[in-house]
Amino acid sequence: MSKISSVNEFVIKFANVNGSGSASANQMFAKAIFRSGIPVSPKNIFPSNIQGLPTWFEIRASAKGYLGRKAGIDFMVAMNPQSYQQDVAEINSNGYLLYDSSWKREFHREDINILEVPLTSLVVDTFPNPKTRLLFKNLVYVGALSYLMNINKQVFIKLIEEQFKGKEKLISPNIQALEIGFNYAEKNLKDACSIKVQDANLTDGMILTNGNNAAGLGCVYGGATVCAWYPITPSTSLAESYKKYCDQFRIDEETGKNNFAFVQAEDELASIGMAIGANWNGARAFTATSGPGISLMTEFVGLAYFAEIPVVLFNIQRGGPSTGMPTRTQQSDILSCAYASHGDTKHVMLIPADPKECFEFAADSFDIADRLQTPVFVLSDLDIGMNDWTCPEFEWDDTRTFDRGKVLSKNDLDTMESWGRYLDVDGDGIPFRTLPGTHPEKGAYFTRGSSHDEYARYIEDGVINARNMSRILKKFEGAHKFLPKPIFKQETNASANGIIYFGSTEAVMQESLDELTSLGFPIDAMRIRAFPFNNDVWDFIDQHESIFIAEQNRDAQMRTLIVAEGDINPGKLISVLCFDGAPITAKFISDSIVDVLSDTNVSKTAEDSK
């Protein structure tokens, strides 16, 4: 039987049952590859119930740095008989299947290598407790993989010691389970696998973390002191991460009291209301949610927009509509966030692509919200938020100070004869504001969601209201000056065709571009990182004959937003849409583009089109 043979380039998938404790062992396997110096990208694919349904954990290791999801599995660890048929079908020809041969099975594929390890029998012979057997069985297959793929066993032992630090009684049996699997494979499966991990230094200066953890830390660095939230997948871990880092960095050393507030509200409406109130009172506050929460929050978002109160909302996007697929990823809240609430509203959006940008954009979002006095949405997604990514180490300038924007001090108010809360005195559309308690006599105003004039007085005058609305639009249109600019992957207009993408699609884009070039379809690329768009976006579109837009939603929401905001000819924009809940692949993008360019015969360089 032929075998897939590779070094530091493979996809391995674990098929387990939800609630079996497998995620910890599978994550440990990914960390071991990373610590061996190989970039990895784990994907945890789990159901929205608590226990009993199939769950999968997919790891791509790539010395080339291609870390997006890749279809086809080189090595399958099949631990769930309920999903055997589906799991076996995914294995590439000449790939590998490792299963629990305590109950032997026929898999009816003659083109794969079947590795039998009697996992249940091995743990039954060693561990008397039925509950611990289930958990230790996972460590047994990790141990077998350590031998089969030539991963230094000491790396796993170190990880076990770290994981159970403070619970030393658990270290020895976990190492014992690892050893059982390693020893069995060493004795019975010599030369059974030609996929190997070879130590390298490709992860120097890199870390392995997820976007929610990074964003929670970014909120601390960005000066956030209040988090009001309601639990919802996949955003809950962002709020929990913020709390974890606050417990580490935001406890007063002298008094032992918290220098932060962390409130689990009764629902999403209460959480956004609390965050707005805290920001109005001078704190930096945020909420974290997903699509269903955004739907509930929109009326309050409109209040913050019209009353011009800064607030940050993290939307970790998931499958929709309604409850949809809570544990699957999508980019399907672009329009609902850009135009959240009724009436005329336009909102600032930051769109990170990896945990490093989640950290940076989280910290930046509070400066932006304060500077513009408006809601700011940070649009991540489940893939970025809950899966670990290999990314560069975070950086921070310790000399950096917070930008609170146009906030008047007591001295400022003392020198002013009059002041209007919504008065544009310098032409940028952004008024000056005050914080409660700044001055004993001056600076107070009514905060209201109803129409008001420049001095925050209630009005029914349509002309004044229109003037106020135009001013708010003016500050939005100037917001691009404060936002992250697009990132380009191209030689200067080397192709007549371009592709626009955003968010987690970054993980597969370079691989797709390389594949397209090898197939004779070179294409320029631009990643959008914020809304409103700056002129680079419109220039990129103008400079290319055809523009593909890769999105992980059904309705081409980014394309719709670009057409609406730039008055672009829709016929110039070609959608590449993936919305099955799994992270988009490079092959999906490449195949979609090749299909179009082959049919229309528009594959040519910019020079050819002159």
Side-chain angles (χ1 to χ4, degrees):
M1 171 75 65
S2 297
K3 301 174 182 176
I4 291 178
S5 180
S6 66
V7 176
N8 298 342
E9 289 285 344
F10 60 88
V11 178
I12 183 170
K13 191 170 186 176
F14 301 85
N16 301 97
V17 177
N18 203 29
S20 63
S22 59
S24 177
N26 300 338
Q27 189 73 29
M28 183 183 298
F29 185 78
K31 289 179 179 179
I33 299 174
F34 178 81
R35 292 195 181 185
S36 300
I38 316 303
V40 293
S41 58
K43 307 291 184 189
N44 191 12
I45 307 162
F46 59 99
S48 55
N49 80 327
I50 297 174
Q51 190 169 355
L53 290 179
T55 183
W56 294 271
F57 196 95
E58 201 170 288
I59 301 170
R60 184 176 185 183
S62 175
K64 298 176 182 177
Y66 292 154
L67 295 179
R69 178 174 164 265
K70 181 181 180 183
I73 306 302
D74 301 314
F75 198 121
M76 176 71 71
V77 180
M79 298 295 295
N80 184 5
Q82 293 179 347
S83 62
Y84 273 167
Q85 185 175 359
Q86 173 184 345
D87 299 332
V88 172
E90 287 188 63
I91 303 172
N92 293 325
S93 184
N94 302 320
Y96 304 85
L97 169 68
L98 187 156
Y99 82 106
D100 184 355
S101 62
S102 302
W103 299 275
K104 289 188 178 291
R105 295 285 295 262
E106 293 289 334
F107 293 101
H108 309 293
R109 277 195 66 176
E110 298 180 356
D111 64 333
I112 62 173
N113 300 277
I114 299 175
L115 310 180
E116 298 184 338
V117 181
L119 299 167
T120 300
S121 298
L122 290 172
V123 296
V124 166
D125 293 341
T126 308
F127 303 105
N129 188 314
K131 183 177 180 180
T132 58
R133 288 172 184 167
L134 180 66
L135 300 175
F136 289 140
K137 186 163 62 172
N138 302 317
L139 267 297
V140 174
Y141 68 66
V142 169
L145 290 170
S146 174
Y147 172 78
L148 289 165
M149 292 187 171
N150 196 37
I151 305 173
N152 189 336
K153 184 172 57 176
Q154 293 302 316
V155 175
F156 290 104
I157 292 175
K158 179 67 173 175
L159 285 166
I160 290 172
E161 291 172 344
E162 292 175 5
Q163 181 173 335
F164 295 105
K165 185 178 181 180
K167 302 178 181 179
E168 276 68 26
K169 290 182 179 180
L170 297 176
I171 293 176
S172 179
N174 276 275
I175 293 176
Q176 185 180 10
L178 180 81
E179 296 274 12
I180 289 171
F182 187 95
N183 294 337
Y184 181 90
E186 185 179 35
K187 181 179 179 180
N188 299 281
L189 297 172
K190 187 177 179 62
D191 299 325
C193 178
S194 296
I195 296 176
K196 301 296 182 183
V197 172
Q198 182 176 307
D199 286 352
N201 58 0
L202 301 174
T203 56
D204 291 352
M206 310 290 279
I207 59 174
L208 189 66
T209 190
N210 63 69
N212 283 355
N213 185 63
L217 180 62
C219 289
V220 175
Y221 272 76
T225 56
V226 177
C227 171
W229 66 294
Y230 182 77
I232 183 173
T233 302
S235 72
T236 296
S237 59
L238 193 159
E240 293 172 341
S241 172
Y242 171 77
K243 172 67 162 54
K244 175 184 69 176
Y245 288 118
C246 281
D247 287 339
Q248 185 175 353
F249 300 120
R250 288 273 175 82
I251 305 296
D252 187 281
E253 293 182 0
E254 295 183 2
T255 66
K257 293 183 177 180
N258 294 343
N259 288 328
F260 68 96
F262 185 75
V263 184
Q264 181 178 326
E266 61 267 34
D267 54 34
E268 287 88 351
L269 282 79
S271 66
I272 183 64
M274 292 176 186
I276 293 171
N279 277 287
W280 173 84
N281 202 45
R284 284 190 155 182
F286 71 94
T287 190
T289 189
S290 192
I294 294 296
S295 296
L296 290 168
M297 293 177 181
T298 54
E299 185 175 5
F300 259 135
V301 171
L303 169 64
Y305 175 83
F306 196 43
E308 299 181 68
I309 301 169
V311 66
V312 175
L313 302 91
F314 291 89
N315 180 0
I316 317 303
Q317 298 169 93
R318 71 187 207 185
S322 188
T323 305
M325 295 190 296
T327 60
R328 298 294 187 267
T329 195
Q330 277 192 11
Q331 298 172 327
S332 52
D333 298 341
I334 304 298
L335 293 175
S336 64
C337 290
Y339 302 127
S341 196
H342 57 278
D344 291 325
T345 57
K346 291 186 180 183
H347 301 295
V348 172
M349 300 190 299
L350 306 180
I351 312 174
D354 60 21
K356 186 173 189 293
E357 287 193 341
C358 285
F359 169 77
E360 294 170 347
F361 289 8
D364 293 344
S365 65
F366 296 96
D367 281 353
I368 295 168
D370 275 353
R371 166 56 61 182
L372 297 171
Q373 301 175 30
T374 197
V376 171
F377 289 87
V378 183
L379 266 66
S380 178
D381 60 39
L382 183 146
D383 186 23
I384 302 174
M386 295 191 71
N387 290 320
D388 277 356
W389 293 53
T390 299
C391 68
E393 294 176 348
F394 304 162
E395 298 176 352
W396 186 258
D397 181 0
D398 287 332
T399 65
R400 174 173 168 177
T401 58
F402 301 140
D403 180 359
R404 298 310 304 264
K406 295 181 174 180
V407 179
L408 296 175
S409 67
K410 180 179 182 299
N411 290 337
D412 292 330
L413 290 168
D414 279 336
T415 61
M416 300 174 68
E417 291 186 11
S418 64
W419 163 73
R421 169 64 183 97
Y422 300 112
L423 194 63
D424 183 8
V425 297
D426 49 16
D428 63 359
I430 306 171
F432 282 85
R433 66 183 176 121
T434 60
L435 302 179
T438 298
H439 196 287
E441 299 174 357
K442 298 180 179 180
Y445 64 93
F446 282 110
T447 304
R448 62 175 82 248
S450 53
S451 299
H452 45 265
D453 68 5
E454 288 82 354
Y455 295 89
R457 297 174 298 207
Y458 170 74
I459 56 99
E460 291 282 353
D461 189 319
V463 173
I464 296 176
N465 185 64
R467 187 169 66 214
N468 191 41
M469 290 291 291
S470 297
R471 178 189 57 76
I472 294 174
L473 179 62
K474 183 177 183 180
K475 74 173 182 177
F476 172 82
E477 291 173 339
H480 65 84
K481 296 179 292 185
F482 308 108
L483 307 182
K485 294 182 178 180
I487 298 289
F488 296 90
K489 292 181 184 288
Q490 65 178 80
E491 298 177 18
T492 305
N493 299 329
S495 172
N497 308 302
I499 183 169
I500 292 174
Y501 64 103
F502 57 96
S504 58
T505 306
E506 163 71 9
V508 299
M509 187 51 62
Q510 189 59 57
E511 183 178 6
S512 180
L513 294 174
D514 291 346
E515 183 178 1
L516 286 165
T517 298
S518 69
L519 295 171
F521 297 95
I523 189 169
D524 297 332
M526 177 182 67
R527 176 163 65 90
I528 287 175
R529 301 198 295 165
F531 174 76
F533 309 124
N534 71 8
N535 288 335
D536 290 345
V537 174
W538 311 127
D539 290 344
F540 183 83
I541 294 172
D542 288 343
Q543 292 161 1
H544 294 85
E545 291 185 9
S546 298
I547 296 290
F548 294 89
I549 304 182
E551 308 190 45
Q552 298 181 59
N553 60 66
R554 184 196 69 180
D555 293 341
Q557 294 187 26
M558 183 61 78
R559 178 180 182 274
T560 300
L561 190 62
I562 289 172
V563 169
E565 294 296 317
D567 195 24
I568 304 297
N569 176 9
K572 187 175 184 176
L573 308 181
I574 305 166
S575 291
V576 176
L577 304 176
C578 176
F579 49 94
D580 61 3
I584 196 170
T585 66
K587 188 176 188 302
F588 182 92
I589 295 172
S590 302
D591 287 351
S592 300
I593 292 174
V594 168
D595 285 346
V596 172
L597 296 184
S598 296
D599 290 343
T600 59
N601 194 30
V602 295
S603 175
K604 54 186 175 181
T605 67
E607 189 66 29
D608 294 333
S609 67
K610 291 181 180 178

